[in-house]
Amino acid sequence: MVAQTNREESHVSNPVKRIRWATQRVTGTNERRTRQSIKDRFQLRKAGSTDKKRQSGETTNLEGIREDSESPEALDSHEGSGRRIYFNTPLPDSAKDDDDHPIVRYERNKIRTAKYTPLSFVPKNLWFQFHNVANIYFLFVILLGIYWIFGNPNPALSSVPLIVILFLTAVKDAIEDWRRTVLDNELNNAPTHRLVDWNNVNTSEDTISLWRRIKKATTHLIISIYRSWSFKKSRRPAGGKEYTERAMDKTRPSVDTRQSHRASVFSLQSDAAEEGIQMTPVPSPNPDRDRLSDNDKLAVDDRPTRSYSFENEANGQSANGQLSAPGVHDKELGRAPAKFYGSVMDPFRQVGGKARFARDYWKSVQVGDFVRIYNDDQIPADVVVLSTSEADGQCYVETKNLDGETNLKVRQALHCGRKMKHAKDCEKASFIIESENPNANLYQYSGAARWTERDARKPEETGTEMAEPISINNLLLRGCSLRNTEWVLGVVVYTGRQTKIMLNSGITPSKRSRIARDLNWYVVYNFAVLFFMCLVSGIVQGVTWAKPRTSSDFFEYGSIGGSPPLDGFITFWSSVILFQNLVPISLYISLEIIRLAQAFFIYSDTFMYYEKLDYPCTPKSWNISDDLGQIEYIFSDKTGTLTQNVMEFKKCTINGVPYGEAYTEAQAGMQRRLGVDVEAEGAKVHKQIAEDRVRMLQNLRKMHANPYLHDDELTFVAPDFVADLGGSSGTEQKIANEEFMLALALCHTVITERTPGDPPKLEFKAQSPDEAALVATARDCGFTVMGRSNDGIILNVLGRDKEFTVLNTLEFNSSRKRMSAIIRMPNGKIILYCKGADSVIYSRLRPGEQSELRRITGEHLEMFAREGLRTLCIACKELDEEEYQVWNKEHDLAAAAIVDREDKLEAVSDAIERELTLLGGTAIEDRLQDGVPDAIALLGDAGIKLWVLTGDKVETAINIGFSCNLLNNDMDLIVFKIEDENMDSAEAELDKHLEAFGLQGTDEELQLARKDHRAPNPTHAIVIDGESLKLVLEDRLRQKFLLLCKQCKSVLCCRVSPSQKAAVVRMVKDGLDVMTLSVGDGANDVAMIQEADVGVGIAGEEGRQAVMSSDYAIGQFRYLQRLVLVHGRWSYRRLAETIANFFYKNIVWTFALFWYQIYNNFDVTYLFDYTYILLVNLAFTSLPVIFMGILDQDVSDKVSLAVPQLYRRGIERKEWTSFKFWTYMIDGIYQSVVCYYMGHLLFAAATFNTSNGLTINDRPRIGVYIACATIVVVNTYVLINMYRWDWLFLLLVAISILLIWFWTGVYTAFSSSLQFYKAAPQVFGQLSFWAMVLLTAAVCLLPRFAAKAFQKLYRPRDIDIIREQVAQGKFKHLDQYEAYVPPAKLPSATSSEVSDPPKSGKKGEHEIADDERPMYPPSVANTGTTHNARSQNGSDGTDYTGHRFSLEHPPRPSLDRPRPSYDRMRDSMDRIRPSFEASNDFTSAALLTRLESSHSAVPSRRNLHGSSSLR
């Protein structure tokens, strides 16, 4: 829409005005704060004085854009601030500095997500590493050791452990950052085409500083070295990426924006200097196409192309390219004049003609550049579209790399730029873009293009000031890919870190595991113990020197400090050096190694590999694997997570007549639970559906030889529909069916792709799978969407091509819950088609009309929902020309608004979507994923509670709950619905339900609930909708609601928003102090994924936004059971045991030194050689405890899944407790006493002489006795605590023990060891040494061995019993599986296969998958209780949803024609007495019947097709 002055007013709207409300996101306060902080961090760098900054274009208001219906300047507004970008227009003085350079300096398009550069790596990495308190502590100890008064015998050697730790961590960080750097270089040096040899006034040439030159030279040097090293390496075998690289997703969105080619910075050097190419509307010369994988390459003839491309003249332009008077041709042809949009091209502007489009790097693109983008190219920056290769100005983009969604989206070129095709046109263009400041909102943008419109026929006129609004529909975001469009010409508005994708990167919150959080406290405890030991040493030493007349007066030369207090002070700090091993510096790096290995094992598990997507389980966060072993609550989305999100149109109701045959999983699951013989029942139903399918295909082809109908793709099986479409039930029903199919074929935003073949194939790219399913069904029934023309849709209606003009498309969003299309029919009538949620459509119907049709349609929709189908209502409305034109002006004003554009558009759309006429409803099946019921059952057996948080309606969620084992017939179903939305009513309802459990919602009850980790009895389940949930999440009611949910086996929250999902997760996580996991597949699940302790994203049909924000990414929900029950339990148990053993071994070693101090007045004399102290954690004891954390295994993966109850120990957090920590600490102190005093007592009573007469009772040699015995004890103790004894663990323990012997022998062989010289042969040659080592080990380990034996014999845990059964061979039957498969699992089939004709097989063979078996609605089966209004039993006399027809009449066929599926379902419903809908009216037939058309206050109009008995 363009505002202009002195122009003839238009009476015909511009076709296809799309406002993409579907992508509008409402952010919470915290999210807005986070995004604002990121935006502030990346704000523009401005030069010059403060006064000039105030005057610069960057802070210029969006002047002249306001809403005023009286003024033609409809786009003027003085609100907000932003940036001005000038194109072939001189900068005003206020926007230039003293040197005539732009004041505003925009971000470069070069991005760097790596932390380091070659020059900054060392200082910056050290800075980050010394954020770790343990590293600071050990650096402090090293610095202390420099001063000789603290008694460190070798200060240089004492730094070795810290240097090793820092080096290993630095290597890990360098490898990670090098990968980021390589990917950044590939992205920054990716090719694009931008306009060169012209003046971009918005930027000035960068002055490269000396520092930047040094950095670039260093980088080039490193790259050269890397290139030469890479060249010498053997090349990778043919076949492309390895498996590990192919599936490992990058966690940074900016990395995901690149294509998978590997040309990078090195192979593109010659491309940058390539000659400029002639930029004409020709296919892309993009060399990147050659880098497509083999799977992506298609022959030219086989590539999908647009079905139609209708080229028309641009409005207001004659054949010779000159402006013509608006509406001349239109008036001559008798049509209403078209709108005049103007053009940014100045016909009088003189140009040099040197400008050309040349290949360049992404990093060279600047704000204000003209860029040309070709098909399949990625967008290098945020670009406003000026023109495209399509005559209607449309282009199609794929935003998979941006938000994860794989469907194509339509973007529109500005009307004022559609005449621009070539480089010379860019030179002639003269305009200004006023843009909002950079922000992270991916789904909204406000700006305006301003220019002076001049008429080529009137050169003397100064021209008219014009403007056109720019919205998100005119913006291509960096990281998107251009699809199905030959080329796009645009201008750059945001670059580099100010692009929306970069502003959205890094928002994912960092998570720390519970053990890591607890570990800090235990390290503090160790610091406290260390402080106590040092304090005792200092006090005793000070008191000792203060005593008069002691032997020290005669034999010592005086103390170091010179006074007792100073001596005590020095001794305190010397003790810190001596006892430094008490604080485990190597613990942190060991845990990093262990978690890295665990992440690798998770990633490498082929049983979690999803072959269809070539996707393994991918850890995104490596440091929370142990949290997977403590999950108590799982929060799951439904659509795409529990279900496949592959929609199949199954049933519909048109003019009160139901159509469609299907047997859904919800029916199959319920009937199986009712004990029905589903084998016989299923065979009969499948046979009937197969026969109906054949008959329908025959009738369709008799009616119309549809070349686009493919037998294997037909999902809507309804031969009676084809008969009625042919007029067998009268003209009225025939017209109704045609009108219904027209609505499906016209009310959408689907993009059509044609694949050549015989017969040809049409594919529909839609924003949602539901929409594609609706359009595909219309195609199968003869109403085929062939493609889009310049201003409409081409339909093939039963063999005849018709063009329908799309005047406006009002798209779906979560608040509107509907979408509409305003269509000008071939006969000139204007019809509005609307589809949406049943409650929304019913509230907008004409009041007082179609009462019977409403009732019957409501019943049908309720039956569809009970079968687990997703329902929509279809309605229409005929508009007068005058009524439409008045409304369209208001719509144009709203579309032109800069401020609150979305809200104004929604209000205007709401005004037209009233007084609708009901056509019917649709029912679509979203099938469960494979293995979901078994996975949920297995997780339930493990003690994990699963809550479903979905946006679907209650009936659908309940039926899915029954089909996937969340609900069963023995449960008392509590449907929580507050009609008046009053807080007091909600509290009363909560109190009533809590009273049934004997609860009142007090703080004492909450404290007891926090300690109770038992699974609730499977007697109750709760269902709540979004409106009621909003009430109970308030502070006043949250605690009561939480306690009520704690008593329920299953909780289903329906119609909830993303923020409500996160609020529920937060309520449970904080309220019950439990570990939570959220799993979802769509962008609407990101909030709860980030809120939970562990977030799991499913790589599904809705894209990868959830995957990019998750901690773990999987291909299917069923893999969650293995991730949690196997890897989670293993990781938690391994880490808990590793940390406990780590603290234990440090206690043993350090306290052995401490006991020695008792006998030398705590003068901090070293019992052990100093190298022992340095190497004990680094070499002598590290391997066994690290590999315990990596490879130890109590039972196999198969047994872990076969006995899921083993997981409950993690839920109760019994593997890592304070009791366990202090038990190991006390055990360590005991063993340190034994280790020291065995040596002490050995030498106290005697002296030992070697063969040469020298004694070995000096301190260093006694230290060898005690140190070797201690190392043997510690490593053997770790071995005892391991479950898995195999050759590898025994070898590691043996190596660790022998290592101290090896080091002693090597080190003491050199005279540089001083007093330690020749200690190894002298000590190891003594029998007493070997006897003491063996005796010490026996005495130390005997209590631990006895305690473990007693516990396993008389107090066995679950794992002990299971391990014994494994040893007895009771789990041998699991060996027949590669991985454990639940015995009840049967092969499943797709829903389409259910309708296929049965294939011949051997006689007597009959296999039917569980998920295909029929089911009756929940109301049929009695529950465990009777006379309960909440439950689904048949005990009282209440009729079904307020209708008495099911009790008064026996089962009957409908409308005198056999409709097996409908009659089968209706027969089931006739037996229903009370239902949850009857008392709660959750969009049930009763509610829809009583629902008044609250949004339709205007007097009713005539029906489209006359009166009807059903209306």
Side-chain angles (χ1 to χ4, degrees), residues 642-658:
L642 299 178
T643 61
Q644 298 178 12
N645 201 25
V646 176
M647 307 302 176
E648 295 182 346
F649 189 107
K650 291 298 183 183
K651 298 187 177 185
C652 66
T653 172
I654 306 173
N655 196 30
V657 180

Side-chain angles (χ1 to χ4, degrees), residues 506-523:
I507 295 179
T508 303
S510 60
K511 297 180 181 179
R512 298 182 64 208
S513 67
R514 178 180 286 271
I515 284 184
R517 297 194 298 267
D518 294 343
L519 185 61
N520 287 338
W521 286 107
Y522 296 113
V523 172

Side-chain angles (χ1 to χ4, degrees), residues 875-894:
C876 66
K877 174 184 180 180
E878 182 175 347
L879 303 175
D880 293 333
E881 184 72 35
E882 181 182 355
E883 177 187 4
Y884 170 73
Q885 292 299 338
V886 171
W887 173 85
N888 190 58
K889 289 182 181 179
E890 298 177 359
H891 181 270
D892 289 344
L893 288 174

Side-chain angles (χ1 to χ4, degrees), residues 1147-1157 1167-1168 1232-1233 1235-1236 1266 1270:
I1147 284 288
V1148 175
W1149 182 264
T1150 307
F1151 268 86
L1153 291 170
F1154 182 77
W1155 304 132
Y1156 174 69
Q1157 303 304 311
L1167 172 62
F1168 305 140
S1232 69
V1233 170
C1235 288
Y1236 172 74
I1266 298 175
T1270 303

Side-chain angles (χ1 to χ4, degrees), residues 1257-1276:
N1257 59 352
D1258 60 319
R1259 175 185 56 82
R1261 285 154 182 80
I1262 294 175
V1264 176
Y1265 271 79
I1266 298 175
C1268 290
T1270 303
I1271 295 302
V1272 171
V1273 168
V1274 165
N1275 285 305
T1276 309

